[in-house]
Structures are given as structure tokens and as C-alpha cells.
Amino acid sequence: MKTSKTINQLSTAATLIAIAISCASHAQAKNDEATFYQWPSSYKTDFTKQNKKAYTSNEYWQVVTGAQLNKGVKVYLSDASTLVKLTPKARFDQGAVFKPQNLELNQIQLGNNLANKQQIVQLAAQKEMALAGFKDGSIALKVQNASLNAPSVLKYAQPLVADDKYIVHVKDKNSAFKLNVTAPLEIKKQFQPQLTIKAELTNKQFSNTDVSARLISPLGESVELKYNQGKIDFSNELAQLGAVKGLYQVELNVSVKHLANKIKRTIKVPFIQTAQTASILTTEINIESNNQGLINVNVPVSIDQEGRFAVKATLQGYSLNNQKVDIATAEVAKFLSHDENLTMPFKVSGLTKGPYSLSNIILTDQTRMMVLPHADTSKAIIELDKAW
Amino acid sequence: MKKTIKTGLIFASLMTCVANANTGLAFIHGTGKQTDARNDYWTSEFIDSVRQGLPNSNKYTVINCDFDQFMWNENASGCLAQGLTDFISAQGITELKLITHSNGGNIVRWILSNPTYDSRYPDIISKVKHTIALAPSSGGTPLADAAVAGNTFETSLGWLLGYGSDAVKQQQVSWMNFYNQQWLFGTSGRPSLQSTFESVVGSDVDSAIWDGDSYCGGYQYQVALEVTQNWLDSCSDGFLNCSSQSAAGSVWFTDKSKSNGSEPFSHHQSRRKCFGLDSLLRNRI
């Protein structure tokens, strides 16, 4: 009896847990429900998307081996006070992770052949860096009176495993040499995609041969690229659409001679790839008013790929003295597996009248996180009075 | 007559009590996966002091989510949405105030800016009246860029950014710019958030061994943040530039203008009972 009661209790508990889990599952995945939201007041939803962004770099990083660090690695400092961070870089080999041995600050040597005495101000050993949050084994040093006229040599005195890898990260905070890049935030999906960027180094010219580039996918895969006067051709189609898994990045490394030294800069430029996964048939938008404070707008959406799509728009009409006005801004979203009408039930105050139209229409692919190209206005519709 | 007056007074008190009791406060942590944020992230001392500012000091919740993920991830904003929904429902909250720290501010802005992304969002948005973002990483941080540039196995800035690489990647300066421009409200040139979103900005790190103020929150953290400050602008809290902290919404105040002794809040101290921060928040909510 007792056992049977216990089993029943466990069964009930399990059922309740299952129900709870089901209810707590991703609320975005309720395929048959639309989510609607109307802002308290209308606002301009048209932000003419800026598709260019400017970036600046005063730093560079490079991967070196333990053998190279023991022998001495040239580092190129272009600021009298420079930060250098050394980080062990883990490697993956046949499914296993190998982390290089940690570095001791007092084993670092940084010198050059010049008369000026550049000084290493020991900044932080691994323990301090770990407390600062760099728990990846980094150590950091600051260089005062850095040599600008010739490269310095960074050396690690204690023997390291030859194949182990380390990242040398040099930051010239106040350097006169900054790499400035302007690049698009989005490129359209195509068979042979291309990215066009504008890259300039202040106070220095550079050519194609001074630049190396690689593409880093949102999933961390990396492939070398060719840079030609700001044009970067990707040899293959890009796989990821939108920003949902992160951004693509082009990493540019510029290395150009400067007197007996070099100026080196690394910069990463993020972007996404977009495609027209859905579109709005703006000529078929239907607006119905019941003259009781509710205006239903039906927006037909045609899809190329299934996903959750959102339509945001501002309902426009006329004031009682015939001035065109923005009435309300709202958004509706729903998972679509086929073409469908999305309904926007605008609540209005009644101090406006038709003809109504939609303006500043924005269509978004929420599944992939892309704002889609669209026509941003509909034609004016005379309201259909319906007693409903 | 006396009975009528007494009944009226009781009724009025009850109505007042009901009205005030509907204000709730949620504490929302920064990057990292939390299971006991009350003790591990904020400290009970801080929370128990701040919540005294509520009409009913028991109407509060401390969120525990996985903010090592991208802000739109179900385990990040989805978990936050569920936590707030449960709190609103359980306590009958009609007016919700939020206190966030660091990346928590971005996840709140994700919800406020994308009302139809999740069916739980509209109700939450309608209830949120006021967000106080302590040292929010609204504009990202160069330290995230430094960590990801390394591309190491543990792309981690520890307690600052957490071990989850997605949250670290998202907080790179250029990435936050992208998300601010296309997916988030509240920054320059973008629509405003429809409820108050105000930040508290930390502008410096004090770690003098002889200065007792450097020990508030833990001296070792102050030393560490002085190190990371080398990667940042002179106006920074050791993790975030002031410009990043003030990028979204409005600035309520920058630390020294209101703190006890005009002390700065390092990124660690801005979630601690340091220099009167708790009483400032208590009075603000």
C-alpha cells in the first residue's frame, strides 16, 4: 500500500515536472501564436540603416612559438609607453587540449641594440592578471622609454616547449600611427561575396603586400584571404546568415617599414551576411477600422525560408482637422512556415480618421537576426467600416 | 460614527497598502552563470540594504541566469524573462524596477528593445518603469577585444567577463556597436527606451595600500582593476570606459559626484555596499 502510494506520488511529481518543463520551454517556439506589441506613443521607426562603420586600431597581435620566444621575437613599438601582454595559446590535437606552460614575469627580457635605456615596468604577473580577470595565463608588462627607432627583441629566458604557442599582444595607446578602417556592416548573400573596405594608416602609406587578412566565421573557423586595394574576395559562399550565431570578422594585419623599425597593426572588422528570407506584399496590405477604436491591419508576408518574422510599422491617418498624423507604432511577430497574413490590431484613441496607411515598415527575420530590405510605405487605404 | 470612521481608515490603509505593495525590485547580475547571485555576485549586505527603499521591502527578487551566452539566447534573456514573469505573477507586481550590473544592462535592453521576440516580453515591458544600470557595458569594452584577440581556449576575463566566450565576444566594442545600431534602443541615434534607463558611471580605480577605501569590496580586486585600467581610457572603472557606461539611456550620476568622500566606484565596487552606493539606490527606488 505504502509503495503504491509512493509510486503514485512520484508519478504525479514527475507529471508536474514535465508540465513545468513544457511550459518553461522557449516561448519563441510557439508556432501558432503571434506576439503583438503597441508602443505607448508613435515614433519614427525609419532609421535609415547605416551600413558603414569606422574602426581604429593602435595595437597588434601575433602568434609565436615557444622556440621563437626562447630565441627572441622582434616586437615593434611605436609609442614611448607601450603595453605588452603575453598569453599562452591552447592547441587542439586529436581531440585533446594542450595548454602551454605558464610564463613567469621575471623571465621576460626586452632589449634592443640602441643606447637609450628602455625599461620594463613589471605590470602584472599571472597571479595579478588572474585577479584582474585574465585567467588564461596572461602576463603583462609596460615598457617605458620604448625604442621607436628600431625593433626590440622579446625573449624568454627559461626554456619553453618548442611547439607551444603564445600570443604577443602589443598596445601602443598613444601612438601617432593608427590604423583606420571603414567597412560595411552587411553584405548580401551571393555566390562569390566581396567586402570593400577603406583602410588607412595615419602618417604612413602601405601597399597590398604589407597586408595579410583572414576571415573568422561566427563559429570560429578561419580562412586566409587576399587583400587588393581594399577589396577582399571570399573564395566560397558564406554559410551563416544574420547575427544570431555572432558576426563574421575580417582580421587585417598591416606591417609596414618605418625607418629601421616597423609599424604593425591588427584590426578586426565585423559584418553579417543577409538574404531576403521574406518580403512584404505592400500593395496587398489591408486596413479595416471598426470605428470603435480598433484598426486591424493585415500585412501579407511571403517567405523564402521558414522562421520567425516581425513587422514593425507606424499607422498613419488624419486628425479631425485633416492634418496627416502618425497614430501609433506597433510590431507583430510570428513563426511562419508558409506565406501568411500577419495582423496588427492597432488600438487608437478615436480622434483620428482615414484614409489610413502604414509607414516606416520594417520587416525583421528574428530567427536569423537580420533586418530585411523592404518598401517602407503602403498606399493609403480608405477604411472599411465594419461593425465587429 | 466612530465605527464608520474606523472602517474608513482601515479601508484607506488597505488600499494604500495594496497600491504600494505592487512595486517590485529585481537585481540582475552581469556576465557569468549564477546560481546564488545574492551571495556570490551582490552580497546579502548590499541587497538587504537597497531593498529597504521599497514600499514593501520583501517584494524583490535576485535573478540567477546564464549570462555567459549571447544576450538573445534562451538561457540569458529567456531565463531573465521567465524570472521576471514568475516574480510579477507570484507577487502581483504592477510596477517593476530593475537594478542591473555590467552586461545585465544589455540583456535588459534586449528585452525592452525587442518586444515581440518572445511572448513573455510585452507584459514585462509594460511593468518595467525604471532601470538603474550600474556600470553597464552598453558600448562594450576593449578588454573583451583583448581577450578574444588572444583566441585562447579559455577566452576568459574571469569574474569580469565570465568563461563563456559568447558573452565575451558580444561585448567587444565593435560587436556592441553593431547590436546597438540594429537591435537595441537607447543609444545615440536610436529610438529611446520607453521607460527610464539610467546609469551609474564608475570613473576610476583606487588601490592605494594605505587608503582604507581601497579595501571596500576587496583590495585584491582593486589592484587587479588598476592593471586592466592600462588598456582603457583614463576615465574608466577598470573594466569599462566611462563612454561605454554612459552610451545608453541617461546618466544618473558619475561616482564621485554623489559617493561618500567623493570616492570612485571600480567595476567591482559598483555592486557592493561601498561609499554610500546602497543608500543612494535605496533613496532612488
Side-chain angles (χ1 to χ4, degrees):
Chain A
M1 246 348 231
K2 215 174 178 177
T3 308
S4 173
K5 193 176 174 185
T6 306
I7 290 170
N8 281 340
Q9 285 173 335
L10 284 170
S11 174
T12 305
T15 304
L16 288 170
I17 289 168
I19 290 170
I21 290 169
S22 169
C23 290
S25 67
H26 191 188
Q28 225 203 22
K30 286 180 182 172
N31 292 344
D32 57 348
E33 291 181 24
T35 301
F36 176 77
Y37 180 81
Q38 180 170 324
W39 273 264
S41 55
S42 66
Y43 70 90
K44 209 144 176 56
T45 54
D46 169 35
F47 328 107
T48 310
K49 265 193 311 172
Q50 287 179 0
N51 195 29
K52 278 202 187 301
K53 174 66 186 161
Y55 310 91
T56 297
S57 168
N58 56 7
E59 59 190 339
Y60 79 90
W61 50 87
Q62 66 180 95
V63 177
V64 300
T65 63
Q68 288 171 325
L69 261 182
N70 282 145
K71 193 176 171 185
V73 172
K74 284 185 184 172
V75 288
Y76 304 93
L77 314 178
S78 68
D79 182 28
S81 176
T82 289
L83 297 168
V84 179
K85 182 167 74 82
L86 271 170
T87 309
K89 183 172 167 63
R91 61 186 169 88
F92 298 88
D93 191 4
Q94 296 180 354
V97 174
F98 296 91
K99 288 176 71 176
Q101 72 185 69
N102 291 326
L103 301 169
E104 302 296 329
L105 206 55
N106 58 11
Q107 299 292 321
I108 300 283
Q109 299 164 359
L110 183 72
N112 56 44
N113 295 328
L114 302 180
N116 77 311
K117 288 188 179 169
Q118 72 186 9
Q119 288 178 316
I120 295 178
V121 173
Q122 288 193 348
L123 195 64
Q126 187 192 331
K127 187 181 168 186
E128 281 83 28
M129 289 296 281
L131 272 176
F134 285 91
K135 292 192 178 179
D136 51 7
S138 288
I139 59 173
L141 45 110
K142 202 169 180 177
V143 184
Q144 307 276 32
N145 299 323
S147 158
L148 307 185
N149 296 325
S152 300
V153 176
L154 183 72
K155 208 168 169 180
Y156 195 79
Q158 200 178 62
L160 298 168
V161 174
D163 290 340
D164 276 353
K165 290 192 176 164
Y166 297 86
I167 305 228
V168 176
H169 185 171
V170 176
K171 189 167 177 76
D172 294 323
K173 266 179 89 171
N174 302 307
S175 171
F177 301 97
K178 290 183 172 45
L179 178 63
N180 298 309
V181 171
T182 306
L185 293 171
E186 296 181 359
I187 61 169
K188 286 197 174 56
K189 184 171 179 64
Q190 50 191 299
F191 182 58
Q192 283 183 320
Q194 186 186 70
L195 189 73
T196 303
I197 66 174
K198 184 179 167 193
E200 292 172 334
L201 192 57
T202 49
N203 303 315
K204 201 79 192 159
Q205 304 268 359
F206 62 88
S207 64
N208 287 340
T209 54
D210 298 322
V211 181
S212 63
R214 66 179 180 134
L215 175 70
I216 306 167
S217 79
L219 304 181
E221 301 138 339
S222 168
V223 62
E224 299 299 313
L225 299 170
K226 272 193 185 156
Y227 175 91
N228 181 10
Q229 300 296 335
K231 285 196 184 347
I232 295 173
D233 290 314
F234 305 116
S235 49
N236 297 312
E237 267 188 86
L238 302 181
Q240 301 295 329
L241 283 180
V244 69
K245 291 185 179 165
L247 309 181
Y248 277 102
Q249 297 176 103
V250 165
E251 181 184 274
L252 284 184
N253 286 284
V254 176
S255 176
V256 58
K257 283 185 186 166
H258 177 68
L259 303 175
N261 201 352
K262 277 187 187 178
I263 305 297
K264 292 186 76 153
R265 290 289 176 258
T266 310
I267 197 167
K268 282 193 297 191
V269 171
F271 67 95
I272 62 167
Q273 177 181 234
T274 63
Q276 192 86 41
T277 50
S279 55
I280 293 173
L281 306 174
T282 47
T283 55
E284 294 179 27
I285 291 175
N286 183 36
I287 303 178
E288 299 174 342
S289 163
N290 71 349
N291 282 332
Q292 290 173 28
L294 191 62
I295 297 179
N296 266 352
V297 178
N298 296 305
V299 181
V301 178
S302 169
I303 66 165
D304 283 343
Q305 296 184 38
E306 66 175 28
R308 185 176 173 90
F309 295 93
V311 175
K312 184 192 300 179
T314 296
L315 180 70
Q316 289 188 316
Y318 288 84
S319 63
L320 297 180
N321 58 359
N322 297 320
Q323 297 293 317
K324 191 162 191 184
V325 292
D326 290 343
I327 298 171
T329 302
E331 184 173 82
V332 64
K334 190 178 175 188
F335 187 90
L336 301 178
S337 53
H338 52 265
D339 296 355
E340 197 169 321
N341 276 342
L342 293 183
T343 300
M344 304 178 77
F346 284 91
K347 286 191 181 134
V348 299
S349 65
L351 299 177
T352 56
K353 59 181 182 176
Y356 298 104
S357 58
L358 278 190
S359 72
N360 305 133
I361 304 171
I362 296 179
L363 175 64
T364 305
D365 180 333
Q366 291 184 341
T367 295
R368 296 159 193 88
M369 284 178 62
M370 297 188 291
V371 180
L372 301 176
H374 55 277
D376 65 0
T377 53
S378 72
K379 62 180 182 186
I381 309 275
I382 297 174
E383 73 275 24
L384 304 175
D385 292 336
K386 275 192 170 187
W388 45 266
Chain B
M1 179 70 168
K2 269 191 185 172
K3 202 173 173 181
T4 307
I5 292 169
K6 195 174 171 184
T7 307
L9 281 170
I10 292 170
F11 181 73
S13 301
L14 277 171
M15 289 306 291
T16 307
C17 196
V18 167
N20 285 340
N22 288 342
T23 301
L25 175 66
F27 292 87
I28 300 165
H29 60 83
T31 301
K33 188 173 181 180
Q34 296 295 328
T35 54
D36 184 14
R38 185 184 218 282
N39 291 306
D40 297 340
Y41 195 87
W42 296 103
T43 72
S44 293
E45 180 189 43
F46 180 75
I47 285 178
D48 290 339
S49 175
V50 172
R51 67 184 175 93
Q52 300 310 316
L54 290 168
N56 181 338
S57 63
N58 291 321
K59 292 211 179 267
Y60 78 100
T61 186
V62 181
I63 296 295
N64 288 287
C65 286
D66 182 1
F67 289 172
D68 280 338
Q69 310 303 322
F70 286 127
M71 55 188 164
W72 53 87
N73 187 283
E74 172 59 19
N75 293 324
S77 52
C79 169
L80 175 58
Q82 192 59 48
L84 294 178
T85 297
D86 291 344
F87 174 55
I88 289 168
S89 170
Q91 300 278 353
I93 302 297
T94 55
E95 181 179 287
L96 186 55
K97 302 195 177 196
L98 307 177
I99 291 178
T100 72
H101 184 258
S102 199
N103 192 35
N106 294 326
I107 297 163
V108 165
R109 278 203 298 137
W110 172 265
I111 291 177
L112 297 178
S113 309
N114 296 281
T116 66
Y117 190 82
D118 186 307
S119 61
R120 293 169 288 192
Y121 289 8
D123 185 55
I124 292 168
I125 294 169
S126 70
K127 303 281 193 309
V128 172
K129 305 301 177 201
H130 189 181
T131 302
I132 300 174
L134 305 171
S137 52
S138 303
T141 173
L143 296 185
D145 291 81
V148 181
N151 198 25
T152 56
F153 175 61
E154 288 177 11
T155 48
S156 139
L157 283 185
W159 61 269
L160 285 174
L161 289 179
Y163 278 88
S165 59
D166 283 350
V168 172
K169 284 191 281 187
Q170 178 214 295
Q171 288 176 87
Q172 294 177 90
V173 173
S174 60
W175 286 46
M176 274 309 300
N177 173 75
F178 178 92
Y179 294 117
N180 279 329
Q181 277 213 11
Q182 295 210 356
W183 293 96
L184 299 174
F185 291 178
T187 54
S188 175
R190 294 284 291 160
S192 303
L193 294 159
Q194 61 262 39
S195 55
T196 302
F197 185 98
E198 54 184 7
S199 59
V200 173
V201 175
S203 66
D204 203 357
V205 181
D206 272 354
S207 67
I209 199 165
W210 59 84
D211 184 356
D213 296 321
S214 301
Y215 290 79
C216 188
Y219 177 71
Q220 70 277 24
Y221 293 105
Q222 297 300 97
V223 170
L225 288 167
E226 282 259 38
V227 168
T228 51
Q229 219 184 6
N230 282 283
W231 268 268
L232 304 171
D233 298 342
S234 55
C235 186
S236 66
D237 67 357
F239 176 58
L240 299 170
N241 289 326
C242 295
S243 55
S244 172
Q245 296 173 70
S246 52
S250 60
V251 175
W252 170 21
F253 72 97
T254 299
D255 48 21
K256 294 174 191 175
S257 67
K258 287 190 187 292
S259 61
N260 293 346
S262 300
E263 290 294 329
F265 300 140
S266 71
H267 200 68
H268 187 70
Q269 291 170 327
S270 55
R271 53 179 167 126
R272 288 291 183 270
K273 194 179 170 187
C274 290
F275 319 129
L277 175 60
D278 55 312
S279 63
L280 287 164
L281 291 170
R282 197 162 66 226
N283 295 330
R284 191 69 167 177
I285 61 173

